Amino acid sequence: MSDLINLYDLAPAQLERTLGEVVSPAFRAKQVAEWLHRGVDSFDVMTNLPKDVRSALAEKFTVAQPEVLTRTEPASDGSVKYLFRLADGNRIESVFMPIGDRTSICLSSQAGCAVGCTFCVTGFFGAGRNLTPAEMLGQFFTIQREQQIPMEQMNVVFMGMGEPLLNFDNLVTTLDVLYTNIAPRRVTVSTSGILPGIEELAKLDRRPNLAISVNAPDRKRREEIMPITAKYPLERLMAALRRFPLEKGRDMTIEYVLLAGYNDSTQDAVALAKLIRGLHAKVNAIPFNEDANLPQWMKRPSDREIDRFVDTLVRNGVRVTVRRSKGRDIAAACGQLRGKEVAKSRATGGRPLRTASESASEADWRR
Ligand code: SF4
């Protein structure tokens, strides 16, 4: 890995100070910052800077971004999945999702995940290191550049690999840089329910939207599929959500992965509606994406069962969206593409797959 400072790792105020020590006069530093706001990945493109300034920058700094290893062909709904290689060889995923005039990029925040949700391929493969701000921003800028969507029209969701609230400081720096181009209301952070992180997020002056992965209407079942519930019980999570300060006109999102015969009954829908009553929230129902690495009892409900669950929620006063097929044909669920890469590597004698229990034993939920 390079010893150079990646300028995308610096929050805007720190960037100004750091550049000021190397670049003069001051307006030159401002020009560099403007290039960075455009997400460039090379000093060479900063053509309004004299060559000696660009050379001085390149001696101390880098603006490198993760390398695109593969990108899928656009799926039927237009979504494209990216597999990136980081400088240390780690691989992470991101997804470009065009949804009408709302275009989103789903970013990873860690190169793995210790939280160990049993329905998640990333959780199956276990913990990975925190991504730096440059690595998170690099996913965004690379995809935005390739897809040629104006930045201010993009939505960003931290819903890829990893638990963003376990990488809190880097997440906040990343948000600060994103906010130079994108309004906070266009950014969503999705969490498995890390209470200290939710409380820290609540204290930020410019808060992103909050999405919470709930997935079961009661503690017992949630703990079965989300072991993090043992540390941060569902009741305390709901209390924290009720305290969370929401800007006027904003909702939080309750994510609910639908597993056939497990959490998708009419009674479950009624219980979920009761659980979230009083919250400014909408439910995002996500039919499970089946995967060979995950427990084989976990199945996607039929469209009829999904409709019944959703209708019951609606009849109980809940606003619901269903992520029916977004990227399903390109293995768009968290970690599935990388999971395929690792499985391929095992088949060819590469690094072995971990067992679920090995993954679980790596879990470290402390911040
Ligand atoms: S769903 Fe999110 S928090 Fe849970 S294991 Fe997967 S990446 Fe981690």
PDB file of all heavy atoms in Angstrom, residues 7-8 15-16 18-20 22-40 42-43 45-46 48-50 53-54 57 61-63:
ATOM      1  N   LEU A   7      -6.007  12.194  -0.626  1.00  0.00           N
ATOM      2  CA  LEU A   7      -6.727  13.434  -0.307  1.00  0.00           C
ATOM      3  C   LEU A   7      -8.211  13.186  -0.057  1.00  0.00           C
ATOM      4  O   LEU A   7      -8.865  13.977   0.615  1.00  0.00           O
ATOM      5  CB  LEU A   7      -6.544  14.459  -1.438  1.00  0.00           C
ATOM      6  CG  LEU A   7      -5.116  15.037  -1.551  1.00  0.00           C
ATOM      7  CD1 LEU A   7      -5.012  15.965  -2.759  1.00  0.00           C
ATOM      8  CD2 LEU A   7      -4.711  15.790  -0.282  1.00  0.00           C
ATOM      9  N   TYR A   8      -8.742  12.080  -0.565  1.00  0.00           N
ATOM     10  CA  TYR A   8     -10.154  11.778  -0.313  1.00  0.00           C
ATOM     11  C   TYR A   8     -10.380  11.242   1.104  1.00  0.00           C
ATOM     12  O   TYR A   8     -11.517  11.018   1.501  1.00  0.00           O
ATOM     13  CB  TYR A   8     -10.686  10.777  -1.348  1.00  0.00           C
ATOM     14  CG  TYR A   8     -10.889  11.397  -2.709  1.00  0.00           C
ATOM     15  CD1 TYR A   8     -10.139  10.973  -3.808  1.00  0.00           C
ATOM     16  CD2 TYR A   8     -11.813  12.406  -2.904  1.00  0.00           C
ATOM     17  CE1 TYR A   8     -10.321  11.542  -5.063  1.00  0.00           C
ATOM     18  CE2 TYR A   8     -12.004  12.989  -4.147  1.00  0.00           C
ATOM     19  CZ  TYR A   8     -11.261  12.549  -5.218  1.00  0.00           C
ATOM     20  OH  TYR A   8     -11.454  13.126  -6.449  1.00  0.00           O
ATOM     21  N   LEU A  15      -8.774  19.111   4.589  1.00  0.00           N
ATOM     22  CA  LEU A  15      -8.218  19.156   3.232  1.00  0.00           C
ATOM     23  C   LEU A  15      -7.651  20.542   2.946  1.00  0.00           C
ATOM     24  O   LEU A  15      -6.530  20.680   2.448  1.00  0.00           O
ATOM     25  CB  LEU A  15      -9.317  18.817   2.222  1.00  0.00           C
ATOM     26  CG  LEU A  15      -8.922  18.936   0.750  1.00  0.00           C
ATOM     27  CD1 LEU A  15      -7.935  17.834   0.363  1.00  0.00           C
ATOM     28  CD2 LEU A  15     -10.159  18.859  -0.160  1.00  0.00           C
ATOM     29  N   GLU A  16      -8.402  21.554   3.315  1.00  0.00           N
ATOM     30  CA  GLU A  16      -7.970  22.935   3.077  1.00  0.00           C
ATOM     31  C   GLU A  16      -6.643  23.206   3.787  1.00  0.00           C
ATOM     32  O   GLU A  16      -5.707  23.736   3.204  1.00  0.00           O
ATOM     33  CB  GLU A  16      -9.064  23.859   3.627  1.00  0.00           C
ATOM     34  CG  GLU A  16      -9.115  25.226   2.976  1.00  0.00           C
ATOM     35  CD  GLU A  16     -10.277  26.016   3.559  1.00  0.00           C
ATOM     36  OE1 GLU A  16     -11.424  25.536   3.461  1.00  0.00           O
ATOM     37  OE2 GLU A  16     -10.019  27.070   4.134  1.00  0.00           O
ATOM     38  N   THR A  18      -4.402  20.996   4.880  1.00  0.00           N
ATOM     39  CA  THR A  18      -3.319  20.146   4.369  1.00  0.00           C
ATOM     40  C   THR A  18      -2.813  20.671   3.031  1.00  0.00           C
ATOM     41  O   THR A  18      -1.589  20.740   2.804  1.00  0.00           O
ATOM     42  CB  THR A  18      -3.826  18.694   4.211  1.00  0.00           C
ATOM     43  OG1 THR A  18      -4.390  18.280   5.449  1.00  0.00           O
ATOM     44  CG2 THR A  18      -2.718  17.747   3.816  1.00  0.00           C
ATOM     45  N   LEU A  19      -3.740  21.043   2.163  1.00  0.00           N
ATOM     46  CA  LEU A  19      -3.311  21.560   0.855  1.00  0.00           C
ATOM     47  C   LEU A  19      -2.559  22.879   1.022  1.00  0.00           C
ATOM     48  O   LEU A  19      -1.577  23.152   0.318  1.00  0.00           O
ATOM     49  CB  LEU A  19      -4.528  21.766  -0.052  1.00  0.00           C
ATOM     50  CG  LEU A  19      -5.146  20.504  -0.655  1.00  0.00           C
ATOM     51  CD1 LEU A  19      -6.436  20.848  -1.392  1.00  0.00           C
ATOM     52  CD2 LEU A  19      -4.168  19.795  -1.587  1.00  0.00           C
ATOM     53  N   GLY A  20      -3.023  23.697   1.976  1.00  0.00           N
ATOM     54  CA  GLY A  20      -2.394  25.006   2.206  1.00  0.00           C
ATOM     55  C   GLY A  20      -0.927  24.873   2.577  1.00  0.00           C
ATOM     56  O   GLY A  20      -0.124  25.787   2.341  1.00  0.00           O
ATOM     57  N   VAL A  22       1.135  22.800   1.268  1.00  0.00           N
ATOM     58  CA  VAL A  22       1.934  22.337   0.121  1.00  0.00           C
ATOM     59  C   VAL A  22       1.746  23.236  -1.104  1.00  0.00           C
ATOM     60  O   VAL A  22       2.683  23.442  -1.875  1.00  0.00           O
ATOM     61  CB  VAL A  22       1.524  20.877  -0.242  1.00  0.00           C
ATOM     62  CG1 VAL A  22       2.244  20.381  -1.484  1.00  0.00           C
ATOM     63  CG2 VAL A  22       1.809  19.952   0.921  1.00  0.00           C
ATOM     64  N   VAL A  23       0.545  23.763  -1.245  1.00  0.00           N
ATOM     65  CA  VAL A  23       0.212  24.489  -2.477  1.00  0.00           C
ATOM     66  C   VAL A  23       0.037  25.974  -2.167  1.00  0.00           C
ATOM     67  O   VAL A  23      -0.643  26.337  -1.207  1.00  0.00           O
ATOM     68  CB  VAL A  23      -1.106  23.951  -3.069  1.00  0.00           C
ATOM     69  CG1 VAL A  23      -1.459  24.678  -4.349  1.00  0.00           C
ATOM     70  CG2 VAL A  23      -0.995  22.465  -3.335  1.00  0.00           C
ATOM     71  N   SER A  24       0.648  26.825  -2.946  1.00  0.00           N
ATOM     72  CA  SER A  24       0.407  28.253  -2.825  1.00  0.00           C
ATOM     73  C   SER A  24       0.414  28.848  -4.238  1.00  0.00           C
ATOM     74  O   SER A  24       0.974  28.238  -5.159  1.00  0.00           O
ATOM     75  CB  SER A  24       1.477  28.917  -1.941  1.00  0.00           C
ATOM     76  OG  SER A  24       2.734  28.775  -2.576  1.00  0.00           O
ATOM     77  N   PRO A  25      -0.176  30.007  -4.447  1.00  0.00           N
ATOM     78  CA  PRO A  25      -0.992  30.768  -3.490  1.00  0.00           C
ATOM     79  C   PRO A  25      -2.297  30.030  -3.155  1.00  0.00           C
ATOM     80  O   PRO A  25      -2.607  28.995  -3.743  1.00  0.00           O
ATOM     81  CB  PRO A  25      -1.272  32.076  -4.248  1.00  0.00           C
ATOM     82  CG  PRO A  25      -1.127  31.727  -5.704  1.00  0.00           C
ATOM     83  CD  PRO A  25      -0.115  30.639  -5.780  1.00  0.00           C
ATOM     84  N   ALA A  26      -3.049  30.628  -2.233  1.00  0.00           N
ATOM     85  CA  ALA A  26      -4.222  29.941  -1.666  1.00  0.00           C
ATOM     86  C   ALA A  26      -5.241  29.535  -2.734  1.00  0.00           C
ATOM     87  O   ALA A  26      -5.891  28.500  -2.611  1.00  0.00           O
ATOM     88  CB  ALA A  26      -4.882  30.841  -0.625  1.00  0.00           C
ATOM     89  N   PHE A  27      -5.356  30.344  -3.780  1.00  0.00           N
ATOM     90  CA  PHE A  27      -6.393  30.001  -4.768  1.00  0.00           C
ATOM     91  C   PHE A  27      -6.080  28.684  -5.478  1.00  0.00           C
ATOM     92  O   PHE A  27      -6.965  28.001  -5.975  1.00  0.00           O
ATOM     93  CB  PHE A  27      -6.612  31.151  -5.769  1.00  0.00           C
ATOM     94  CG  PHE A  27      -5.581  31.267  -6.864  1.00  0.00           C
ATOM     95  CD1 PHE A  27      -5.750  30.572  -8.068  1.00  0.00           C
ATOM     96  CD2 PHE A  27      -4.450  32.049  -6.703  1.00  0.00           C
ATOM     97  CE1 PHE A  27      -4.818  30.674  -9.085  1.00  0.00           C
ATOM     98  CE2 PHE A  27      -3.508  32.153  -7.717  1.00  0.00           C
ATOM     99  CZ  PHE A  27      -3.686  31.454  -8.904  1.00  0.00           C
ATOM    100  N   ARG A  28      -4.788  28.297  -5.489  1.00  0.00           N
ATOM    101  CA  ARG A  28      -4.422  27.004  -6.106  1.00  0.00           C
ATOM    102  C   ARG A  28      -5.017  25.848  -5.291  1.00  0.00           C
ATOM    103  O   ARG A  28      -5.507  24.865  -5.847  1.00  0.00           O
ATOM    104  CB  ARG A  28      -2.902  26.851  -6.175  1.00  0.00           C
ATOM    105  CG  ARG A  28      -2.226  27.811  -7.132  1.00  0.00           C
ATOM    106  CD  ARG A  28      -2.447  27.375  -8.565  1.00  0.00           C
ATOM    107  NE  ARG A  28      -1.778  28.233  -9.510  1.00  0.00           N
ATOM    108  CZ  ARG A  28      -2.258  28.549 -10.706  1.00  0.00           C
ATOM    109  NH1 ARG A  28      -3.435  28.078 -11.101  1.00  0.00           N
ATOM    110  NH2 ARG A  28      -1.595  29.316 -11.528  1.00  0.00           N
ATOM    111  N   ALA A  29      -4.940  25.990  -3.952  1.00  0.00           N
ATOM    112  CA  ALA A  29      -5.516  24.937  -3.096  1.00  0.00           C
ATOM    113  C   ALA A  29      -7.016  24.821  -3.351  1.00  0.00           C
ATOM    114  O   ALA A  29      -7.586  23.720  -3.373  1.00  0.00           O
ATOM    115  CB  ALA A  29      -5.249  25.258  -1.631  1.00  0.00           C
ATOM    116  N   LYS A  30      -7.634  25.968  -3.563  1.00  0.00           N
ATOM    117  CA  LYS A  30      -9.079  25.958  -3.846  1.00  0.00           C
ATOM    118  C   LYS A  30      -9.363  25.231  -5.171  1.00  0.00           C
ATOM    119  O   LYS A  30     -10.330  24.465  -5.288  1.00  0.00           O
ATOM    120  CB  LYS A  30      -9.568  27.409  -3.922  1.00  0.00           C
ATOM    121  CG  LYS A  30     -10.993  27.555  -3.568  1.00  0.00           C
ATOM    122  CD  LYS A  30     -11.374  28.999  -3.308  1.00  0.00           C
ATOM    123  CE  LYS A  30     -12.879  29.097  -3.418  1.00  0.00           C
ATOM    124  NZ  LYS A  30     -13.377  30.081  -4.306  1.00  0.00           N
ATOM    125  N   GLN A  31      -8.490  25.453  -6.125  1.00  0.00           N
ATOM    126  CA  GLN A  31      -8.684  24.768  -7.421  1.00  0.00           C
ATOM    127  C   GLN A  31      -8.576  23.247  -7.248  1.00  0.00           C
ATOM    128  O   GLN A  31      -9.357  22.494  -7.827  1.00  0.00           O
ATOM    129  CB  GLN A  31      -7.628  25.250  -8.421  1.00  0.00           C
ATOM    130  CG  GLN A  31      -7.916  26.654  -8.959  1.00  0.00           C
ATOM    131  CD  GLN A  31      -6.790  27.154  -9.859  1.00  0.00           C
ATOM    132  OE1 GLN A  31      -5.609  26.985  -9.535  1.00  0.00           O
ATOM    133  NE2 GLN A  31      -7.160  27.771 -10.971  1.00  0.00           N
ATOM    134  N   VAL A  32      -7.593  22.834  -6.426  1.00  0.00           N
ATOM    135  CA  VAL A  32      -7.448  21.384  -6.196  1.00  0.00           C
ATOM    136  C   VAL A  32      -8.722  20.833  -5.558  1.00  0.00           C
ATOM    137  O   VAL A  32      -9.268  19.801  -5.979  1.00  0.00           O
ATOM    138  CB  VAL A  32      -6.225  21.085  -5.286  1.00  0.00           C
ATOM    139  CG1 VAL A  32      -6.132  19.588  -4.994  1.00  0.00           C
ATOM    140  CG2 VAL A  32      -4.942  21.588  -5.928  1.00  0.00           C
ATOM    141  N   ALA A  33      -9.215  21.564  -4.537  1.00  0.00           N
ATOM    142  CA  ALA A  33     -10.435  21.097  -3.846  1.00  0.00           C
ATOM    143  C   ALA A  33     -11.597  20.984  -4.830  1.00  0.00           C
ATOM    144  O   ALA A  33     -12.394  20.038  -4.763  1.00  0.00           O
ATOM    145  CB  ALA A  33     -10.786  22.048  -2.706  1.00  0.00           C
ATOM    146  N   GLU A  34     -11.681  21.944  -5.757  1.00  0.00           N
ATOM    147  CA  GLU A  34     -12.780  21.880  -6.740  1.00  0.00           C
ATOM    148  C   GLU A  34     -12.668  20.632  -7.624  1.00  0.00           C
ATOM    149  O   GLU A  34     -13.660  19.979  -7.941  1.00  0.00           O
ATOM    150  CB  GLU A  34     -12.781  23.144  -7.612  1.00  0.00           C
ATOM    151  CG  GLU A  34     -13.405  24.325  -6.882  1.00  0.00           C
ATOM    152  CD  GLU A  34     -13.109  25.653  -7.543  1.00  0.00           C
ATOM    153  OE1 GLU A  34     -12.467  25.670  -8.622  1.00  0.00           O
ATOM    154  OE2 GLU A  34     -13.494  26.677  -6.963  1.00  0.00           O
ATOM    155  N   TRP A  35     -11.450  20.278  -8.003  1.00  0.00           N
ATOM    156  CA  TRP A  35     -11.270  19.041  -8.789  1.00  0.00           C
ATOM    157  C   TRP A  35     -11.698  17.819  -7.978  1.00  0.00           C
ATOM    158  O   TRP A  35     -12.315  16.888  -8.500  1.00  0.00           O
ATOM    159  CB  TRP A  35      -9.811  18.893  -9.224  1.00  0.00           C
ATOM    160  CG  TRP A  35      -9.451  19.753 -10.402  1.00  0.00           C
ATOM    161  CD1 TRP A  35      -8.663  20.865 -10.396  1.00  0.00           C
ATOM    162  CD2 TRP A  35      -9.857  19.558 -11.762  1.00  0.00           C
ATOM    163  NE1 TRP A  35      -8.570  21.391 -11.661  1.00  0.00           N
ATOM    164  CE2 TRP A  35      -9.294  20.607 -12.529  1.00  0.00           C
ATOM    165  CE3 TRP A  35     -10.648  18.615 -12.410  1.00  0.00           C
ATOM    166  CZ2 TRP A  35      -9.489  20.719 -13.900  1.00  0.00           C
ATOM    167  CZ3 TRP A  35     -10.857  18.728 -13.774  1.00  0.00           C
ATOM    168  CH2 TRP A  35     -10.281  19.776 -14.505  1.00  0.00           C
ATOM    169  N   LEU A  36     -11.349  17.852  -6.683  1.00  0.00           N
ATOM    170  CA  LEU A  36     -11.709  16.704  -5.846  1.00  0.00           C
ATOM    171  C   LEU A  36     -13.230  16.593  -5.699  1.00  0.00           C
ATOM    172  O   LEU A  36     -13.771  15.489  -5.663  1.00  0.00           O
ATOM    173  CB  LEU A  36     -11.042  16.819  -4.472  1.00  0.00           C
ATOM    174  CG  LEU A  36      -9.513  16.758  -4.483  1.00  0.00           C
ATOM    175  CD1 LEU A  36      -8.960  16.955  -3.084  1.00  0.00           C
ATOM    176  CD2 LEU A  36      -9.018  15.430  -5.046  1.00  0.00           C
ATOM    177  N   HIS A  37     -13.896  17.735  -5.640  1.00  0.00           N
ATOM    178  CA  HIS A  37     -15.371  17.671  -5.560  1.00  0.00           C
ATOM    179  C   HIS A  37     -15.961  17.017  -6.804  1.00  0.00           C
ATOM    180  O   HIS A  37     -17.055  16.470  -6.777  1.00  0.00           O
ATOM    181  CB  HIS A  37     -15.972  19.078  -5.406  1.00  0.00           C
ATOM    182  CG  HIS A  37     -15.596  19.732  -4.118  1.00  0.00           C
ATOM    183  ND1 HIS A  37     -15.700  21.085  -3.880  1.00  0.00           N
ATOM    184  CD2 HIS A  37     -15.079  19.196  -2.993  1.00  0.00           C
ATOM    185  CE1 HIS A  37     -15.283  21.340  -2.664  1.00  0.00           C
ATOM    186  NE2 HIS A  37     -14.900  20.218  -2.105  1.00  0.00           N
ATOM    187  N   ARG A  38     -15.218  17.083  -7.901  1.00  0.00           N
ATOM    188  CA  ARG A  38     -15.700  16.435  -9.137  1.00  0.00           C
ATOM    189  C   ARG A  38     -15.308  14.964  -9.177  1.00  0.00           C
ATOM    190  O   ARG A  38     -15.623  14.256 -10.135  1.00  0.00           O
ATOM    191  CB  ARG A  38     -15.144  17.179 -10.354  1.00  0.00           C
ATOM    192  CG  ARG A  38     -15.814  18.554 -10.496  1.00  0.00           C
ATOM    193  CD  ARG A  38     -15.021  19.528 -11.292  1.00  0.00           C
ATOM    194  NE  ARG A  38     -14.925  19.174 -12.692  1.00  0.00           N
ATOM    195  CZ  ARG A  38     -14.362  19.949 -13.623  1.00  0.00           C
ATOM    196  NH1 ARG A  38     -13.860  21.126 -13.268  1.00  0.00           N
ATOM    197  NH2 ARG A  38     -14.298  19.568 -14.866  1.00  0.00           N
ATOM    198  N   GLY A  39     -14.559  14.514  -8.187  1.00  0.00           N
ATOM    199  CA  GLY A  39     -14.273  13.087  -8.067  1.00  0.00           C
ATOM    200  C   GLY A  39     -13.162  12.574  -8.977  1.00  0.00           C
ATOM    201  O   GLY A  39     -13.157  11.382  -9.324  1.00  0.00           O
ATOM    202  N   VAL A  40     -12.223  13.433  -9.362  1.00  0.00           N
ATOM    203  CA  VAL A  40     -11.167  12.987 -10.283  1.00  0.00           C
ATOM    204  C   VAL A  40     -10.247  11.968  -9.604  1.00  0.00           C
ATOM    205  O   VAL A  40     -10.130  11.928  -8.376  1.00  0.00           O
ATOM    206  CB  VAL A  40     -10.329  14.182 -10.797  1.00  0.00           C
ATOM    207  CG1 VAL A  40     -11.206  15.158 -11.559  1.00  0.00           C
ATOM    208  CG2 VAL A  40      -9.606  14.874  -9.652  1.00  0.00           C
ATOM    209  N   SER A  42      -6.930  11.468 -10.754  1.00  0.00           N
ATOM    210  CA  SER A  42      -5.538  11.708 -11.173  1.00  0.00           C
ATOM    211  C   SER A  42      -5.244  13.205 -11.084  1.00  0.00           C
ATOM    212  O   SER A  42      -6.130  14.031 -11.356  1.00  0.00           O
ATOM    213  CB  SER A  42      -5.372  11.222 -12.618  1.00  0.00           C
ATOM    214  OG  SER A  42      -4.239  11.824 -13.194  1.00  0.00           O
ATOM    215  N   PHE A  43      -3.988  13.526 -10.706  1.00  0.00           N
ATOM    216  CA  PHE A  43      -3.600  14.950 -10.706  1.00  0.00           C
ATOM    217  C   PHE A  43      -3.443  15.466 -12.139  1.00  0.00           C
ATOM    218  O   PHE A  43      -3.523  16.663 -12.387  1.00  0.00           O
ATOM    219  CB  PHE A  43      -2.285  15.148  -9.933  1.00  0.00           C
ATOM    220  CG  PHE A  43      -2.440  14.888  -8.449  1.00  0.00           C
ATOM    221  CD1 PHE A  43      -1.759  13.846  -7.837  1.00  0.00           C
ATOM    222  CD2 PHE A  43      -3.276  15.683  -7.676  1.00  0.00           C
ATOM    223  CE1 PHE A  43      -1.899  13.607  -6.481  1.00  0.00           C
ATOM    224  CE2 PHE A  43      -3.431  15.447  -6.311  1.00  0.00           C
ATOM    225  CZ  PHE A  43      -2.746  14.401  -5.717  1.00  0.00           C
ATOM    226  N   VAL A  45      -5.317  15.362 -14.614  1.00  0.00           N
ATOM    227  CA  VAL A  45      -6.502  16.008 -15.226  1.00  0.00           C
ATOM    228  C   VAL A  45      -6.730  17.415 -14.682  1.00  0.00           C
ATOM    229  O   VAL A  45      -7.581  18.140 -15.183  1.00  0.00           O
ATOM    230  CB  VAL A  45      -7.790  15.169 -15.029  1.00  0.00           C
ATOM    231  CG1 VAL A  45      -7.650  13.793 -15.630  1.00  0.00           C
ATOM    232  CG2 VAL A  45      -8.163  15.079 -13.553  1.00  0.00           C
ATOM    233  N   MET A  46      -5.939  17.810 -13.677  1.00  0.00           N
ATOM    234  CA  MET A  46      -6.128  19.147 -13.080  1.00  0.00           C
ATOM    235  C   MET A  46      -5.424  20.177 -13.958  1.00  0.00           C
ATOM    236  O   MET A  46      -4.405  20.778 -13.582  1.00  0.00           O
ATOM    237  CB  MET A  46      -5.599  19.172 -11.644  1.00  0.00           C
ATOM    238  CG  MET A  46      -6.284  18.160 -10.749  1.00  0.00           C
ATOM    239  SD  MET A  46      -5.669  18.210  -9.051  1.00  0.00           S
ATOM    240  CE  MET A  46      -6.664  16.960  -8.262  1.00  0.00           C
ATOM    241  N   ASN A  48      -5.868  23.119 -15.001  1.00  0.00           N
ATOM    242  CA  ASN A  48      -5.691  24.546 -14.713  1.00  0.00           C
ATOM    243  C   ASN A  48      -4.610  24.800 -13.665  1.00  0.00           C
ATOM    244  O   ASN A  48      -4.391  25.932 -13.236  1.00  0.00           O
ATOM    245  CB  ASN A  48      -7.027  25.183 -14.278  1.00  0.00           C
ATOM    246  CG  ASN A  48      -7.622  24.496 -13.053  1.00  0.00           C
ATOM    247  OD1 ASN A  48      -7.148  23.432 -12.644  1.00  0.00           O
ATOM    248  ND2 ASN A  48      -8.664  25.088 -12.491  1.00  0.00           N
ATOM    249  N   LEU A  49      -3.897  23.742 -13.275  1.00  0.00           N
ATOM    250  CA  LEU A  49      -2.774  23.897 -12.338  1.00  0.00           C
ATOM    251  C   LEU A  49      -1.465  23.766 -13.103  1.00  0.00           C
ATOM    252  O   LEU A  49      -1.337  22.900 -13.980  1.00  0.00           O
ATOM    253  CB  LEU A  49      -2.801  22.785 -11.279  1.00  0.00           C
ATOM    254  CG  LEU A  49      -3.973  22.765 -10.301  1.00  0.00           C
ATOM    255  CD1 LEU A  49      -3.880  21.505  -9.443  1.00  0.00           C
ATOM    256  CD2 LEU A  49      -3.969  23.985  -9.426  1.00  0.00           C
ATOM    257  N   PRO A  50      -0.466  24.612 -12.771  1.00  0.00           N
ATOM    258  CA  PRO A  50       0.835  24.461 -13.424  1.00  0.00           C
ATOM    259  C   PRO A  50       1.415  23.073 -13.148  1.00  0.00           C
ATOM    260  O   PRO A  50       1.119  22.458 -12.117  1.00  0.00           O
ATOM    261  CB  PRO A  50       1.694  25.544 -12.761  1.00  0.00           C
ATOM    262  CG  PRO A  50       0.732  26.479 -12.118  1.00  0.00           C
ATOM    263  CD  PRO A  50      -0.504  25.706 -11.810  1.00  0.00           C
ATOM    264  N   VAL A  53       3.085  22.408  -9.808  1.00  0.00           N
ATOM    265  CA  VAL A  53       2.158  22.235  -8.679  1.00  0.00           C
ATOM    266  C   VAL A  53       1.626  20.804  -8.679  1.00  0.00           C
ATOM    267  O   VAL A  53       1.563  20.137  -7.644  1.00  0.00           O
ATOM    268  CB  VAL A  53       0.991  23.252  -8.755  1.00  0.00           C
ATOM    269  CG1 VAL A  53      -0.039  22.971  -7.673  1.00  0.00           C
ATOM    270  CG2 VAL A  53       1.516  24.675  -8.627  1.00  0.00           C
ATOM    271  N   ARG A  54       1.281  20.303  -9.850  1.00  0.00           N
ATOM    272  CA  ARG A  54       0.779  18.920  -9.939  1.00  0.00           C
ATOM    273  C   ARG A  54       1.854  17.933  -9.485  1.00  0.00           C
ATOM    274  O   ARG A  54       1.575  16.959  -8.789  1.00  0.00           O
ATOM    275  CB  ARG A  54       0.350  18.607 -11.374  1.00  0.00           C
ATOM    276  CG  ARG A  54      -1.004  19.206 -11.711  1.00  0.00           C
ATOM    277  CD  ARG A  54      -1.461  18.794 -13.083  1.00  0.00           C
ATOM    278  NE  ARG A  54      -1.127  19.784 -14.089  1.00  0.00           N
ATOM    279  CZ  ARG A  54      -1.022  19.544 -15.382  1.00  0.00           C
ATOM    280  NH1 ARG A  54      -1.191  18.333 -15.845  1.00  0.00           N
ATOM    281  NH2 ARG A  54      -0.733  20.499 -16.227  1.00  0.00           N
ATOM    282  N   LEU A  57       2.154  18.005  -5.731  1.00  0.00           N
ATOM    283  CA  LEU A  57       1.033  17.265  -5.128  1.00  0.00           C
ATOM    284  C   LEU A  57       1.281  15.763  -5.190  1.00  0.00           C
ATOM    285  O   LEU A  57       1.091  15.037  -4.206  1.00  0.00           O
ATOM    286  CB  LEU A  57      -0.271  17.591  -5.872  1.00  0.00           C
ATOM    287  CG  LEU A  57      -0.893  18.966  -5.615  1.00  0.00           C
ATOM    288  CD1 LEU A  57      -1.960  19.275  -6.655  1.00  0.00           C
ATOM    289  CD2 LEU A  57      -1.485  19.034  -4.212  1.00  0.00           C
ATOM    290  N   PHE A  61       0.875  13.292  -2.106  1.00  0.00           N
ATOM    291  CA  PHE A  61      -0.519  12.837  -2.015  1.00  0.00           C
ATOM    292  C   PHE A  61      -0.875  11.888  -3.158  1.00  0.00           C
ATOM    293  O   PHE A  61      -0.171  11.788  -4.158  1.00  0.00           O
ATOM    294  CB  PHE A  61      -1.482  14.035  -2.079  1.00  0.00           C
ATOM    295  CG  PHE A  61      -1.198  15.112  -1.079  1.00  0.00           C
ATOM    296  CD1 PHE A  61      -0.879  16.406  -1.507  1.00  0.00           C
ATOM    297  CD2 PHE A  61      -1.251  14.860   0.278  1.00  0.00           C
ATOM    298  CE1 PHE A  61      -0.608  17.410  -0.589  1.00  0.00           C
ATOM    299  CE2 PHE A  61      -0.993  15.853   1.199  1.00  0.00           C
ATOM    300  CZ  PHE A  61      -0.669  17.135   0.761  1.00  0.00           C
ATOM    301  N   THR A  62      -2.023  11.265  -2.980  1.00  0.00           N
ATOM    302  CA  THR A  62      -2.623  10.494  -4.068  1.00  0.00           C
ATOM    303  C   THR A  62      -4.131  10.800  -4.101  1.00  0.00           C
ATOM    304  O   THR A  62      -4.689  11.278  -3.099  1.00  0.00           O
ATOM    305  CB  THR A  62      -2.382   8.976  -3.882  1.00  0.00           C
ATOM    306  OG1 THR A  62      -3.114   8.259  -4.878  1.00  0.00           O
ATOM    307  CG2 THR A  62      -2.830   8.490  -2.531  1.00  0.00           C
ATOM    308  N   VAL A  63      -4.751  10.553  -5.225  1.00  0.00           N
ATOM    309  CA  VAL A  63      -6.224  10.651  -5.323  1.00  0.00           C
ATOM    310  C   VAL A  63      -6.755   9.329  -5.895  1.00  0.00           C
ATOM    311  O   VAL A  63      -7.796   9.284  -6.542  1.00  0.00           O
ATOM    312  CB  VAL A  63      -6.675  11.850  -6.198  1.00  0.00           C
ATOM    313  CG1 VAL A  63      -6.463  13.157  -5.459  1.00  0.00           C
ATOM    314  CG2 VAL A  63      -5.958  11.860  -7.549  1.00  0.00           C
TER     315      VAL A  63
END
